[in-house]
């Protein structure tokens, strides 16, 4: 069995004998982190000429993933201490790095990427804006649901994910300290199985949307939150896998769909749809798409185009 | 739609081929998308199309379109028509 990162509280982090430390923090929590951690913060991906024994990275999934690669390449053997500032990505749980390179997502897997420890500091997420919190919840949901439906998931992973999905169904789609641990579990689940079409769409579209709609506030999490419902409706309509697995694991599929409707952002969907249409062949080639729970087909683009008309009638009352 | 036509459509979708590129005598070596991801995708597609769940060993050993037909034929899928 692969090891899991140690789980530390903030007190354990500040008291741990970490040797020479490089500490990095994302701008949104920089001042708070600077006032609490006993280390001098430096710009990310710099070492000041000293090879660190430990790297403490406080931030979202993108920063944590870049830190994984930096540590492997520049300070092999150093402990990577991941402190998520927002829930959703589960980056602190996985040996996977999803990197933005030239407008495209590059996925690399390396056992060396798995953090030495993850730190629970959920208060960092308490001031996240409501819309960003909703998207983070969608990211977590996408990991758990796509891992549950993954053709690479063992029965044990499916059982774990079904249990997790039941817990997620009872969560508010807003800040709650429990999201950090739930996201960790979802991230660990998808790392042992695979994700699917939702992630294939998100990875393919994100760079193009940033470039073509720089005002769109696009993020991986927003795309996952927005596309998870249409992808699951496609799954439900084209394969008996949804019905078979939800029944086998005693999962309330209607309750799950109800949450996905609340995660859906019709404005984002409307703006992303033309890009989806133009990049559909790339979506079909994406590694996440190709290891997903359903076979994504050329004709499935029509489902997404028709979904825009069908969705409003099925949406939940506004959150 | 005959099972041969279903299989042709499936292979084209799974391996992202054009209709012109597909032949029933294609081998894995001739299809660059028949990689580890393609194996997973093929297994999912066969389950959806022919309601047969390939074991991981079966999925990995498939080396040609003919192999796919042979495995499915042992499960009662008739490709004669």
């Amino acid at each position: 069995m692969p090891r899991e990162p140690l789980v530390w509280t903030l007190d354990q982090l500040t008291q741990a004998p970490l040797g020479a430390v490089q500490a990095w923090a994302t701008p949104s929590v920089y001042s708070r982190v600077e006032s609490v951690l006993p280390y001098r913060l430096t710009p990310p991906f710099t070492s000041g000429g000293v090879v660190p024994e430990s790297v403490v990275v406080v931030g979202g999934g993108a920063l944590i993933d870049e830190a994984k690669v930096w540590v492997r390449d520049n300070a092999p053997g150093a402990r990577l201490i991941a402190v998520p500032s927002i829930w959703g990505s589960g980056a602190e749980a996985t040996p996977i790095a999803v990197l933005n390179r030239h407008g495209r997502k590059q996925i690399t897997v390396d056992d060396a990427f798995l953090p030495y420890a993850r730190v629970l500091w959920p208060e960092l997420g308490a001031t996240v804006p409501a819309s960003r919190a909703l998207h983070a919840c969608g990211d977590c949901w996408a990991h758990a649901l796509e891992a549950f439906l993954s053709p690479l998931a063992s029965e044990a992973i499916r059982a774990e994910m079904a249990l997790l999905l039941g817990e997620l169904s009872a969560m508010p789609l807003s800040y709650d300290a429990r999201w950090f641990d739930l996201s960790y579990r979802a991230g660990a689940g998808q790392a042992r199985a695979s994700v699917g079409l939702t992630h294939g769409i998100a990875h393919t579209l994100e760079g193009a949307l940033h470039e073509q709609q720089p005002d769109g506030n696009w993020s991986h999490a927003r795309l996952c939150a927005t596309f998870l419902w249409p992808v699951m409706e496609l799954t439900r309509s084209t394969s008996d896998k949804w019905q078979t697995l939800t029944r086998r694991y005693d999962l309330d599929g209607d309750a799950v769909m109800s949450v996905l409707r609340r995660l859906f952002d019709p404005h984002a969907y409307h703006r992303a749809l033309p890009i989806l249409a133009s990049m559909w062949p790339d979506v079909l080639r994406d590694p996440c798409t190709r290891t997903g729970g359903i076979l994504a087909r050329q004709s499935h683009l029509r489902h997404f185009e028709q979904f825009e008309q069908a969705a409003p009638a099925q949406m939940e009352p506004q959150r | 739609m005959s099972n041969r036509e279903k299989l042709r459509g499936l292979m084209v979708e799974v391996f992202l081929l054009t209709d012109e590129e597909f032949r029933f005598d294609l081998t894995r070596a001739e299809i660059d998308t028949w990689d580890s991801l393609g194996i997973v995708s093929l297994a999912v597609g066969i389950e959806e199309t022919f309601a047969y769940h390939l074991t991981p060993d079966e999925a990995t050993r498939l080396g040609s379109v003919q192999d796919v037909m042979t495995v499915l034929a042992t499960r009662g899928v008739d490709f004669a028509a």
Side-chain angles (χ1 to χ4, degrees):
Chain A
M1 282 288 285
R3 69 174 177 86
E4 288 187 25
L6 300 173
V7 187
W8 286 351
T9 63
L10 185 54
D11 282 346
Q12 286 173 304
L13 170 64
T14 56
Q15 292 163 19
L18 296 178
V21 173
Q22 283 294 318
W24 306 330
T26 200
S28 62
V29 296
Y30 192 95
S31 56
R32 178 140 193 211
V33 172
E34 189 177 40
S35 68
V36 172
L37 291 191
Y39 322 112
R40 189 174 64 85
L41 296 182
T42 56
F45 321 121
T46 59
S47 67
V50 178
V51 177
E53 294 169 79
S54 303
V55 173
V56 177
V57 56
V58 188
L63 183 61
I64 292 173
D65 281 355
E66 291 286 357
K68 292 173 181 176
V69 177
W70 189 92
V71 169
R72 182 194 64 180
D73 295 347
N74 297 279
R79 304 175 198 89
L80 177 63
I81 319 294
V83 191
S85 60
I86 186 169
W87 66 98
S89 78
E92 71 279 14
T94 76
I96 302 168
V98 183
L99 310 170
N100 291 304
R101 294 289 181 270
H102 312 296
R104 290 182 174 272
K105 293 287 186 179
Q106 177 185 306
I107 301 173
T108 311
V109 183
D110 190 326
D111 288 342
F113 289 161
L114 193 66
Y116 175 79
R118 64 182 176 106
V119 177
L120 297 171
W121 192 354
E123 293 78 12
L124 289 176
T127 53
V128 165
S131 61
R132 197 157 167 238
L134 183 76
H135 302 154
C137 297
D139 199 5
C140 178
W141 265 96
H143 288 149
L145 207 39
E146 293 202 313
F148 175 68
L149 295 166
S150 165
L152 301 176
S154 63
E155 293 299 304
I157 292 173
R158 288 217 173 97
E160 262 181 62
M161 292 300 104
L163 183 66
L164 176 62
L165 287 162
E167 292 177 54
L168 294 181
S169 297
M171 289 291 290
L173 297 177
S174 56
Y175 170 76
D176 184 306
R178 291 172 294 172
W179 273 114
F180 283 85
D181 204 54
L182 296 168
S183 285
Y184 172 82
R185 289 163 56 193
Q190 61 90 13
R192 286 178 290 140
S194 64
V195 281
L197 180 56
T198 307
H199 277 80
I201 291 171
H203 289 163
T204 305
L205 266 58
E206 189 183 343
L209 285 165
H210 277 302
E211 190 178 309
Q212 296 179 37
Q213 300 175 12
D215 61 330
N217 201 20
W218 293 106
S219 69
H220 172 79
R222 186 182 191 199
L223 285 162
C224 283
T226 297
F227 278 93
L228 190 54
W229 178 29
V231 167
M232 289 304 137
E233 288 292 0
L234 178 67
T235 302
R236 199 156 68 159
S237 65
T238 60
S239 162
D240 60 7
K241 183 174 269 184
W242 175 273
Q243 193 169 5
T244 303
L245 292 180
T246 52
R247 188 174 297 166
R248 186 186 304 164
Y249 291 94
D250 200 22
L251 187 63
D252 185 343
D254 290 338
V256 168
M257 281 297 180
S258 172
V259 177
L260 305 193
R261 284 195 285 272
R262 289 161 54 211
L263 289 167
F264 182 72
D265 178 342
H267 178 66
Y269 191 82
H270 177 73
R271 295 196 72 190
L273 197 54
I275 312 296
L276 179 73
S278 67
M279 300 190 79
W280 188 243
D282 300 303
V283 170
L284 296 179
R285 288 185 173 274
D286 182 90
C288 295
T289 303
R290 296 181 71 210
T291 53
I294 58 165
L295 174 63
R297 298 171 188 259
Q298 294 181 42
S299 61
H300 287 164
L301 177 59
R302 187 187 304 273
H303 161 84
F304 291 97
E305 291 169 339
Q306 292 174 340
F307 191 85
E308 188 170 34
Q309 277 77 51
Q314 301 174 57
M315 286 182 67
E316 302 282 311
Q318 269 308 304
R319 43 189 174 270
Chain B
M1 185 186 284
S2 72
N3 286 327
R4 281 179 71 88
E5 287 169 339
K6 283 185 190 173
L7 181 64
R8 166 193 280 273
L10 174 63
M11 300 299 280
V12 164
E13 296 274 13
V14 166
F15 296 120
L16 308 163
L17 304 171
T18 62
D19 285 336
E20 294 72 31
E21 287 172 323
F22 179 81
R23 304 187 319 268
F24 279 97
D25 63 352
L26 275 175
T27 65
R28 185 169 164 176
E30 295 173 276
I31 304 175
D32 61 4
T33 45
W34 197 333
D35 50 14
S36 58
L37 303 179
I39 291 170
V40 177
S41 191
L42 178 60
V44 171
I46 284 176
E47 188 166 14
E48 286 180 13
T49 308
F50 295 105
Y52 176 60
H53 183 81
L54 288 172
T55 65
D57 191 44
E58 279 177 323
T60 308
R61 277 194 283 109
L62 294 172
S64 65
V65 178
Q66 283 299 322
D67 284 352
V68 176
M69 295 170 78
T70 301
V71 167
L72 290 174
T74 64
R75 300 290 161 171
V77 179
D78 181 6
F79 289 104

